[in-house]
Amino acid sequence: MTQRNEIVMLEVTTDWYLTLAAILFSIGFLGMMIRKNALIMFMCIELMLNAVNLTFISASKHFGQVDGQVFVFFVLVVAAAEVVVGLAIIVSIFRKQSSASVDVLNVSRG
Amino acid sequence: MIEALLFFAPASLIIIGALIVIFAKNPVHNAMGLVMTLVSLAIIYITLNATFVAMVQMLVYAGAVMTLFLFVIMMIGVDKKEQTTDSIKGQTFLVSGVFLILISLLAYVAISSDFKWDLWFPPVEFDAEGTPQLIAGVLFTEWIFPFEIISLLLIVATAAAIALAYDTKKRNSNA
Amino acid sequence: MYQEVKLEIIFLLPIFLPFLTAIFLFLNKKLFNELITNFFTLNSALLSLAIAAYSFIALALDKFKPVNVELFQWISNPDISIGFTLDGLSGIMLILVTGLSFVIQLFSTSYMEKDENHCNYFVYFNFFVFSMLLLVMSSNFLVMFFGWELVGLSSYLLISFWSKKPAAAKAGNKAFVINRVGDFGFLIGLMIILDTFNTFDFYKILQNTSGIAESTITAISLFLLLGAFGKSAQFPLFSWLPDAMEGPTPASALIHAATMVTAGVFMLVRISPLLQHSKIASLLIIIFGLITALLAAFSAINQFDIKKVLAYSTISQLGFMFIAIGAGAYVAAIFHLVTHAFFKALLFLGAGAVIHSMHHEQDIRKMGGLRKKMPITASMMGIGTLAISGIPPLAGFWSKDEILASVFVNGGIYYVFWALALGAAFLTAFYMGRHWLLIFEKDNGFEHSDVAEAPKAMTRPLLLLGIFSIFIGFINTPFFHGLEKVLHVTLENVEVTHLPKGITLVVLAVLSIGAGFTGLIIAFLLFGMELHKRIDLKKFKLESPINLVKDLSSNVLYLNKFGNLFFVSGMKNLSRKVAVVVDGMLIDGSVNFVSTAFNKSSKITSTTQTGLVRNYVVYFGLFLLLLIALFIATPLVPR
């Protein structure tokens, strides 16, 4: 029983990767909520996307299929597109109010 | 043992880097923390047999995307410090509430499953490396249609970025 | 074989040619002046007539074997398809509609001259012709129903053609609403047909009548009958037709005298194999036909509008056709339809010429003595009057005599019907004689110095129709059964009531001629020689009965007032109450409640919409966590 436990401890299973992804996602989400700088918020989004990528890759290994890795490519492209557009938005916001804080932006207030 | 080491070393670097991203005050430090996370993730990918994805992660994310971030940071200026106090009423309360729920959910899942995630499906023996050949074989046959669409998205995003960042006022005054 | 294939394509042309003309004129109505419009519409009508005549001759050479064309099948089960047929019955109607359409359009070019909507008139007119041909040429009930509804629409458009006149707009609405009552019955009849026979095709339905229960056939017949009553203006759905005279007179001639109102008769003859299995339906048809014939004839004797007299006379003559159908004399019904179409179109066009010359004066009391001013019109209308009165050898005599004889030959209660119909024939002769005498003969003390004969474009159609009104009766006489041969295939499985033989026929003919002559002579005595002024009415205590008759006649036995009081006012009151209670309180209240509820609740919830990105992130996270919690509580894959 003890021996089996030891082996389990040493073997790196899929759970571990998923746990890591969950932690990474949580950190990213926390950052989204507490930071005001739009730039940092984008970095947090990157963190969350990477957590998802990690899930895909570990699932790809777990199920023995390449599809997960192909999906990572798609996520990557979407992330790149999002970063490009997002940074352009940040630049134009900055031109207007010379600060990247999102808290002053409440045009869509209900 | 080596396997565990190859997991824990990058994993701890990932978490440290992520924490730097969300807590550091200087935007350049944030960016460096993100680079650290991304590079460590690439190492994890290699241990998961996804070598090509790891390379792309290094090139695209740690290389291109982060360079873009740094450009923008330099443009906006690093000296702009954020206020430490929250300007939105009740935001701190809400954030702590949501985070508490998140932590308790994670804890519940961990404890109820005896610190072992039940994945329902047993792992499949799969040692093939994620080489460019392997991925291209799937990407250009089975996933060709999504691939084409995603490339279109990229073009649209590029055009949108140009349109957004193009300062008409400035251009007109210059001309 | 070659002949058949060719005919199948060719007989569709007259149907769609008017439609194309209507569209063409509608698209170019701003562009075309009157001359160009006339050119296109007349040529199109003439071409239609020529093709129709060719088709009819080709059909006659083929011994009236029906030619069917199925354009396409809409639904295979139940069998619903768009198709047309050319047989004896629809062939006659094809010739009749295209022929009269041409003649009346020729008349219209002059009558509608310098009207501001000249082109629109011909658009509607051509559209009507198309609808009517759709109705008569259909090979199934569905296409017939299309045509049925479209003639209603185009009739509405033409009645309220001068829609700036309130009376015209109102009359159009009245016609439409009353027709709707009939169409409702027609539609229900169609539903029962589809349910019973699983098809709409005439031939398939009419050949399978033997296995169907009589109650079903009676139900179908009665509902279709309601539709026929509405379209053919039979009691109790007749009051729209006199009002429909607000439309242009040539349109009235084609629609409300010659063709559209006969659609009901046509349809009943079409379904005659069904009708003959239902004794109740036949009896109802003859009773309602009689009521209509008598009531309308009675109403016509004290009308003073030149067109309303003709309208009531049309209703009365349609009643005669229904009598013929009820008596089983389907050939006689179609025969009377054809002859009536010619002499009634003649009378209407004559009335139109008179109205035109009188500068749109329609009151016959203000006319009188016009015979010398308008000799051609007067003589042609005289022919029409003699024809409708049943004087031999004009058209009306042959058909009306055939109807009366067919009623008589049935025996039993039909002797009473025959006597009543004879009375209606007498009344017809009387009021038509009065009509002609009041317009053309009697001197009412008005100077008509500016009245002249109508232009040639009007008199030529009159002459043409006059000739036809004299000779068209010879297509089906007791000596020559032309029409019967034409309809032979169509009415193959139908027991048609035949004329009596020998001395009975002669006696009946003499009686009906006598009725016609008596009516005309009494009219002449009263209105030509003004006999009633020479004798002292009070001495014979006749004044109050005569006034009563006049009063009842001009008010149509107060049926309209009764109908207005009972249906219109009652409905108005009911709907007003419904408007206040259901609409005002229930529906408006609930709608208002919903809107206020939304308004207030949205004001509360809108405070959450701060417009701050980070607040939204928190909301998003909150609900994401709720979703995850839900997944943990209820796993997607059961363990």
Side-chain angles (χ1 to χ4, degrees):
Chain A
M1 194 67 188
T2 24
Q3 203 186 357
R4 196 171 166 269
N5 256 350
E6 222 169 351
I7 293 162
V8 170
M9 271 298 287
L10 289 174
E11 197 189 345
V12 182
T13 55
T14 314
D15 318 358
W16 296 30
Y17 294 104
L18 291 181
T19 314
L20 179 61
I23 292 168
L24 192 56
F25 189 89
S26 307
I27 292 171
F29 195 70
L30 183 65
M32 274 296 281
M33 290 191 291
I34 62 172
R35 293 307 293 257
K36 284 166 241 175
N37 192 329
L39 209 58
I40 314 292
M41 288 173 81
F42 264 100
M43 291 185 192
C44 294
I45 291 175
E46 296 304 317
L47 284 183
M48 289 192 279
L49 283 169
N50 271 289
V52 174
N53 279 356
L54 182 56
T55 326
F56 272 129
I57 301 256
S58 50
S60 158
K61 164 96 169 161
H62 186 83
F63 295 113
Q65 281 182 318
V66 202
D67 293 0
Q69 299 186 20
V70 173
F71 246 85
V72 170
F73 275 95
F74 293 148
V75 174
L76 228 106
V77 175
V78 171
E82 174 243 319
V83 161
V84 166
V85 176
L87 289 180
I89 290 173
I90 288 170
V91 168
S92 57
I93 287 173
F94 185 78
R95 272 203 201 115
K96 232 178 183 169
Q97 58 177 34
S98 68
S99 132
S101 171
V102 293
D103 281 4
V104 277
L105 300 170
N106 58 353
V107 204
S108 61
R109 182 193 192 94
Chain B
M1 206 52 208
I2 300 272
E3 267 187 352
L5 195 71
L6 273 175
F7 173 73
F8 279 115
S12 46
L13 282 176
I14 286 169
I15 291 169
I16 291 165
L19 289 174
I20 291 171
V21 169
I22 69 167
F23 287 124
K25 292 277 173 281
N26 190 330
V28 180
H29 293 175
N30 297 114
M32 285 307 128
L34 189 55
V35 172
M36 193 162 114
T37 306
L38 296 176
V39 171
S40 314
L41 264 174
I43 296 167
I44 295 261
Y45 290 169
I46 291 170
T47 65
L48 283 168
N49 282 349
T51 40
F52 183 61
V53 177
M55 288 304 120
V56 175
Q57 171 94 355
M58 291 288 283
L59 287 172
V60 175
Y61 254 129
V65 173
M66 286 321 298
T67 314
L68 206 60
F69 266 106
L70 284 172
F71 266 136
V72 174
I73 290 168
M74 293 307 159
M75 228 174 114
I76 293 173
V78 286
D79 47 357
K80 291 272 172 8
K81 290 270 166 68
E82 257 180 271
Q83 279 180 300
T84 37
T85 49
D86 209 308
S87 56
I88 302 175
K89 212 172 97 187
Q91 175 77 1
T92 324
F93 172 73
L94 278 170
V95 169
S96 43
V98 169
F99 201 65
L100 213 67
I101 299 171
L102 181 62
I103 295 286
S104 50
L105 265 179
L106 283 175
Y108 170 79
V109 172
I111 291 167
S112 67
S113 61
D114 200 13
F115 295 96
K116 250 177 68 65
W117 288 36
D118 191 349
L119 292 175
W120 296 324
F121 300 102
V124 179
E125 275 306 317
F126 180 67
D127 287 332
E129 250 186 70
T131 53
Q133 259 171 316
L134 188 67
I135 289 173
V138 182
L139 189 63
F140 295 125
T141 53
E142 206 178 322
W143 296 93
I144 183 70
F145 194 58
F147 178 78
E148 295 294 340
I149 291 177
I150 211 92
S151 59
L152 199 69
L153 176 75
L154 207 55
I155 289 177
V156 171
T158 314
I162 293 167
L164 278 168
Y166 191 85
D167 195 337
T168 33
K169 240 190 283 172
K170 221 174 193 171
R171 291 282 155 194
N172 289 345
S173 62
N174 278 3
Chain C
M1 196 63 208
Y2 172 72
Q3 179 89 28
E4 237 178 56
V5 172
K6 221 174 154 193
L7 190 59
E8 276 172 10
I9 304 160
I10 270 183
F11 86 87
L12 292 176
L13 278 173
I15 306 177
F16 291 101
L17 209 58
F19 183 59
L20 294 177
T21 315
I23 289 180
F24 181 67
L25 290 178
F26 179 75
L27 292 177
N28 293 312
K29 69 178 170 190
K30 293 244 172 74
L31 210 62
F32 286 177
N33 62 18
E34 290 187 6
L35 206 65
I36 302 176
T37 310
N38 293 344
F39 172 78
F40 277 113
T41 189
L42 287 178
N43 277 315
S44 145
L46 195 60
L47 190 60
S48 287
L49 176 60
I51 298 170
Y54 172 80
S55 310
F56 191 80
I57 290 165
L59 187 73
L61 291 176
D62 205 26
K63 299 215 169 77
F64 296 102
K65 221 179 90 208
V67 182
N68 283 304
V69 175
E70 193 183 284
L71 287 189
F72 66 92
Q73 192 171 44
W74 193 356
I75 300 167
S76 59
N77 187 30
D79 178 24
I80 297 176
S81 44
I82 306 295
F84 297 94
T85 186
L86 180 67
D87 61 358
L89 184 56
S90 56
I92 289 172
M93 292 301 283
L94 180 65
I95 292 264
L96 194 69
V97 173
T98 50
L100 284 175
S101 144
F102 171 68
V103 173
I104 292 172
Q105 284 193 50
L106 191 61
F107 185 90
S108 300
T109 54
S110 174
Y111 189 83
M112 300 301 288
E113 208 175 5
K114 299 201 174 84
D115 191 280
E116 53 184 330
N117 287 324
H118 181 268
C119 195
N120 257 356
Y121 171 81
F122 285 103
V123 170
Y124 297 156
F125 201 97
N126 276 301
F127 186 64
F128 166 77
V129 175
F130 160 68
S131 322
M132 189 68 204
L133 289 175
L134 208 60
L135 197 164
V136 296
M137 302 301 291
S138 58
S139 72
N140 57 57
F141 277 108
L142 188 75
V143 180
M144 191 185 217
F145 185 68
F146 289 164
W148 194 269
E149 293 294 317
L150 286 180
V151 290
L153 171 68
S154 38
S155 147
Y156 166 80
L157 289 172
L158 282 168
I159 292 171
S160 32
F161 182 74
W162 288 310
S163 53
K164 280 175 188 158
K165 270 202 305 186
K170 223 170 167 177
N173 280 342
K174 188 175 181 181
F176 210 69
V177 169
I178 292 181
N179 263 309
R180 208 102 287 283
V181 178
D183 293 350
F184 155 79
F186 193 64
L187 199 57
I188 292 182
L190 291 195
M191 289 172 191
I192 304 176
I193 284 175
L194 193 63
D195 188 50
T196 317
F197 296 96
N198 213 29
T199 178
F200 272 145
D201 195 276
F202 289 138
Y203 281 89
K204 282 179 199 153
I205 290 170
L206 300 177
Q207 276 164 7
N208 294 325
T209 50
S210 49
I212 310 296
E214 203 190 320
S215 58
T216 317
I217 288 180
T218 305
I220 292 172
S221 311
L222 290 185
F223 278 117
L224 293 183
L225 197 57
L226 189 60
F229 279 176
K231 195 62 76 191
S232 288
Q234 293 296 291
F235 177 82
L237 301 177
F238 68 95
S239 65
W240 64 271
L241 189 56
D243 287 12
M245 294 304 130
E246 292 293 339
T249 310
S252 304
L254 182 68
I255 297 179
H256 306 115
T259 55
M260 186 192 90
V261 287
T262 59
V265 179
F266 168 81
M267 190 261 283
L268 289 179
V269 174
R270 185 55 104 189
I271 63 160
S272 51
L274 265 181
L275 274 181
Q276 63 173 349
H277 289 291
S278 172
K279 290 274 170 293
I280 304 167
S282 300
L283 202 64
L284 270 176
I285 292 172
I286 196 166
I287 288 171
F288 274 97
L290 263 174
I291 292 175
T292 313
L294 283 169
L295 186 68
F298 181 73
S299 302
I301 59 180
N302 201 32
Q303 299 291 333
F304 291 105
D305 188 314
I306 186 169
K307 285 174 76 182
K308 282 212 169 151
V309 176
L310 295 176
Y312 280 109
S313 128
T314 306
I315 300 174
S316 173
Q317 297 305 306
L318 288 166
F320 270 102
M321 295 174 209
F322 274 71
I323 292 170
I325 290 170
Y330 302 106
V331 178
I334 290 295
F335 184 30
H336 196 56
L337 192 161
V338 172
T339 56
H340 170 257
F342 282 104
F343 59 68
K344 192 47 71 65
L346 169 64
L347 285 168
F348 261 106
L349 291 189
V354 170
I355 292 169
H356 184 80
S357 297
M358 290 288 291
H359 311 290
H360 293 273
E361 175 58 62
Q362 299 199 4
D363 194 331
I364 50 177
R365 281 169 297 193
K366 292 179 183 162
M367 297 170 186
L370 291 180
R371 185 166 58 90
K372 284 178 188 119
K373 309 269 184 189
M374 313 174 67
I376 303 175
T377 314
S379 53
M380 286 306 127
M381 272 190 87
I383 289 174
T385 305
L386 292 179
I388 198 173
S389 307
I391 305 300
L394 278 71
F397 161 73
W398 301 107
S399 54
K400 201 177 279 183
D401 185 49
E402 195 174 332
I403 290 174
L404 290 172
S406 306
V407 176
F408 187 84
V409 87
N410 273 308
I413 183 103
Y414 287 87
Y415 290 135
V416 181
F417 294 155
W418 171 80
L420 290 171
L422 198 65
F426 160 72
L427 279 176
T428 307
F430 173 68
Y431 68 72
M432 283 317 294
R434 164 186 178 268
H435 190 232
W436 191 85
L437 288 168
L438 278 183
I439 296 170
F440 293 109
E441 200 60 57
K442 191 185 167 195
D443 190 9
N444 282 330
F446 285 93
E447 278 293 315
H448 299 297
S449 53
D450 58 340
V451 174
E453 180 61 87
K456 273 185 182 160
M458 287 191 182
T459 50
R460 276 179 192 153
L462 285 180
L463 284 168
L464 201 63
L465 287 172
I467 293 163
F468 269 108
S469 295
I470 295 170
F471 294 111
I472 197 75
F474 292 110
I475 60 169
N476 195 40
T477 59
F479 328 108
F480 171 68
H481 302 283
L483 202 62
E484 218 167 309
K485 281 188 189 111
V486 174
L487 294 174
H488 175 69
V489 179
T490 312
L491 300 173
E492 214 172 6
N493 306 316
V494 186
E495 280 181 43
V496 179
T497 311
H498 287 285
L499 289 176
K501 294 267 186 282
I503 194 78
T504 328
L505 183 64
V506 177
V507 171
L508 287 172
V510 167
L511 276 173
S512 88
I513 296 166
F517 267 119
T518 321
L520 286 177
I521 286 165
I522 291 178
F524 181 69
L525 288 177
L526 282 179
F527 300 102
M529 300 177 69
E530 308 202 304
L531 204 62
H532 58 288
K533 281 187 183 158
R534 295 183 195 175
I535 42 174
D536 192 7
L537 288 172
K538 276 178 190 153
K539 206 163 83 185
F540 295 100
K541 289 187 179 161
L542 275 170
E543 196 163 45
S544 55
I546 283 178
N547 281 339
L548 184 69
V549 166
K550 276 186 175 174
D551 187 42
L552 284 179
S553 165
S554 48
N555 287 307
V556 200
L557 294 180
Y558 289 100
L559 278 174
N560 270 340
K561 280 191 181 146
F562 170 75
N564 266 337
L565 202 72
F566 189 73
F567 290 109
V568 180
S569 309
M571 214 54 182
K572 266 186 187 161
N573 283 338
L574 183 70
S575 52
R576 200 162 291 139
K577 283 198 179 103
V578 167
V580 171
V581 177
V582 177
D583 237 39
M585 287 160 83
L586 215 70
I587 295 174
D588 281 9
S590 56
V591 168
N592 284 340
F593 170 73
V594 168
S595 70
T596 23
F598 269 109
N599 204 352
K600 285 192 174 148
S601 62
S602 65
K603 265 191 186 134
I604 295 165
T605 48
S606 73
T607 52
T608 60
Q609 303 291 314
T610 55
L612 295 165
V613 181
R614 287 163 62 225
N615 266 347
Y616 293 158
V617 174
V618 172
Y619 300 148
F620 172 66
L622 204 62
F623 286 99
L624 186 68
L625 289 175
L626 278 178
L627 197 66
I628 293 171
L630 193 72
F631 274 132
I632 291 168
T634 55
L636 286 175
V637 183
R639 284 167 194 243

